[in-house]
Amino acid sequence: MDNNAFDGMNFADIPKIDLSYATDMVYSIQSQIEEDGRRTRRMAEEAYNNRQKMQKAIEQTAVNTGETNIQLQKVVENQNAYIDILKEQLSIHKKQLELDEQQLMILRNIFASEEDGVAVEKEIMKLIQEQIDASHPLWEYIKDKGGDVAVAGVTAGIPVIYSAIKVYFLSKGIQLP
């Protein structure tokens, strides 16, 4: 084409094209793209912040779980120690029960028959007589009496008779308080 071909043309006859619509559309699309970009950045930022919060929450949960595990371990250790103490107490109670049963068996054997009861009364009276002398107020009453005196004396709370009974039982392996 020859450059001179346009020289003779009348441009006034060419209808003018209205490009304002196209320009508005381009600005509108560009504006929409920018808005979408801002929205995408906000969503990405929110997602990032949420991941950061979630990571912190997971870390805090791990710390709390560790502390809870330590506390639970201490509770378990304390319970185990308490169980050991209870086992020791049970063992002591079993031994005491065995001792009490042995002493009960001795008492049953001592008082199994009337003849044995009379022998016990005589032995207790002998122990009482060994603990007091002729100047004691009970001497006259006890020196010729039998077991009825011991029973009456115990009910009246006479320490000498209780002491004699205590010594007698101790000689048989029974410890009175």
Side-chain angles (χ1 to χ4, degrees), residues 1-161:
M1 241 179 132
D2 188 6
N3 273 345
N4 291 337
F6 287 112
D7 285 339
M9 277 182 103
N10 185 5
F11 288 105
D13 293 334
I14 299 177
K16 289 190 176 183
I17 300 174
D18 184 14
L19 295 176
S20 65
Y21 176 73
T23 304
D24 288 344
M25 190 182 341
V26 168
Y27 285 133
S28 174
I29 290 172
Q30 183 179 1
S31 169
Q32 185 66 39
I33 289 172
E34 288 174 1
E35 179 62 31
D36 288 346
R38 284 190 295 271
R39 205 175 303 139
T40 302
R41 281 191 296 279
R42 273 195 312 264
M43 289 177 9
E45 193 174 309
E46 282 181 34
Y48 174 79
N49 289 338
N50 286 339
R51 280 193 301 274
Q52 292 295 358
K53 287 178 186 177
M54 193 179 308
Q55 182 64 32
K56 286 180 182 178
I58 289 171
E59 290 171 1
Q60 187 61 44
T61 299
V63 168
N64 292 344
T65 301
E67 290 173 2
T68 300
N69 287 344
I70 289 170
Q71 291 173 354
L72 286 174
Q73 182 63 32
K74 288 179 182 177
V75 168
V76 168
E77 289 171 3
N78 288 342
Q79 288 299 316
N80 285 340
Y82 181 66
I83 288 170
D84 289 342
I85 289 170
L86 290 176
K87 285 179 182 177
E88 288 176 29
Q89 287 178 345
L90 181 60
S91 174
I92 290 169
H93 288 303
K94 282 182 180 179
K95 289 176 184 175
Q96 184 61 46
L97 180 61
E98 289 172 4
L99 179 64
D100 290 347
E101 287 175 349
Q102 290 172 354
Q103 290 183 354
L104 180 60
M105 184 60 80
I106 293 169
L107 286 172
R108 283 186 180 147
N109 290 338
I110 289 172
F111 296 105
S113 70
E114 275 191 41
E115 282 183 20
D116 291 339
V118 170
V120 168
E121 289 174 2
K122 286 182 180 179
E123 192 168 338
I124 290 173
M125 288 306 297
K126 181 180 165 199
L127 289 169
I128 292 171
Q129 289 170 354
E130 290 174 1
Q131 289 183 27
I132 63 174
D133 59 11
S135 64
H136 195 279
L138 291 176
W139 180 255
E140 289 300 318
Y141 187 67
I142 290 178
K143 71 177 182 178
D144 295 326
K145 304 295 181 189
D148 292 339
V149 172
V151 172
V154 169
T155 57
I158 297 175
V160 173
I161 295 174

